Amino acid sequence: MEAGAEEAIVPALWAQDTFIKKTGGSEIMGQMWAFADKKGRPCCLIPEATALFQERSAELLGRRLERPLFYIARCYRYERPQAGRYREFTQLGFELLSPDPASASRRSQALAAGFLDALGLRYQTDGMAKRGLSYYLDGQGFEMRCAELGAQQQILGGGAYPEGAGFAFGAERLLLAMQAQGLI
């Protein structure tokens, strides 16, 4: 599936309010590297990128009806390091800003599957996964998992939100999955 996505540059530092509003109640709140800047404004190292696209969707869309974007971002979470889950990690993602989140979600999931298929990776898809982020519609999304990774099987996650849909994966976990399956 051809995405025709444009690259978006994602900053590493952002206002805490974005993540408080967009991920409220999720475990990410307790994992943010948060502090005040020189003017006392609450900011953080970004724990994920989708919230930024949601917050800036009108600006990013401009006069367009929809816009596919991809990014590669350094993200930071103060969590207990586990296999392929580190405090600093590389997140690769795709966001389809659109007035039709259901269609955007189907297209995002198809693109994610096509990407993993192109790598030759074996995976299972859960199209009704409960996502830990409150911005996903009805708290649901999709996940793709690699059984060879044991307890931490998720290699990719995404879903629909009011401004569109998308997915992301951690490069480190993807590499572990590829190694586990003998692809690298």
Side-chain angles (χ1 to χ4, degrees):
M1 177 180 179
E2 178 63 37
E6 302 170 67
E7 183 177 11
I9 305 300
V10 177
L13 186 66
W14 200 257
Q16 285 180 38
D17 288 351
T18 296
F19 301 100
I20 292 168
K21 287 185 284 190
K22 294 291 184 182
T23 65
S26 81
E27 64 189 37
I28 288 179
M29 295 306 302
Q31 297 171 347
M32 287 194 324
W33 290 89
F35 48 90
D37 70 7
K38 289 183 178 185
K39 292 186 177 182
R41 296 173 293 206
C43 58
C44 65
L45 296 174
I46 65 166
E48 59 90 31
T50 299
L52 303 175
F53 289 91
Q54 291 177 318
E55 183 175 85
R56 299 284 185 214
S57 64
E59 179 181 320
L60 289 166
L61 281 168
R63 294 176 182 248
R64 301 174 194 187
L65 186 58
E66 65 178 35
R67 187 173 184 191
L69 298 160
F70 76 92
Y71 63 90
I72 301 170
R74 296 300 290 170
C75 296
Y76 306 84
R77 292 187 189 167
Y78 192 82
E79 64 181 347
R80 184 177 56 84
Q82 305 168 53
R85 291 186 68 116
Y86 307 106
R87 291 182 175 179
E88 180 179 7
F89 60 98
T90 302
Q91 185 177 76
L92 292 89
F94 171 80
E95 306 295 337
L96 178 54
L97 301 177
S98 169
D100 185 352
S103 173
S105 184
R106 287 189 299 276
R107 290 169 56 193
S108 295
Q109 189 170 342
L111 184 64
F115 172 73
L116 296 178
D117 291 345
L119 294 175
L121 197 66
R122 294 182 311 276
Y123 61 92
Q124 299 81 39
T125 301
D126 179 353
M128 299 295 285
K130 288 289 183 192
R131 304 287 295 145
L133 300 165
S134 61
Y135 53 69
Y136 286 115
L137 298 176
D138 299 322
Q140 288 188 289
F142 62 89
E143 291 182 355
M144 294 174 174
R145 301 179 183 128
C146 175
E148 289 84 353
L149 294 180
Q152 296 292 325
Q153 295 183 6
Q154 180 186 340
I155 54 173
L156 184 149
Y161 46 83
E163 301 84 1
F167 66 86
F169 61 90
E172 297 83 359
R173 294 215 29 91
L174 182 62
L175 287 174
L176 280 179
M178 293 175 72
Q179 287 173 336
Q181 291 185 6
L183 298 172
I184 55 173

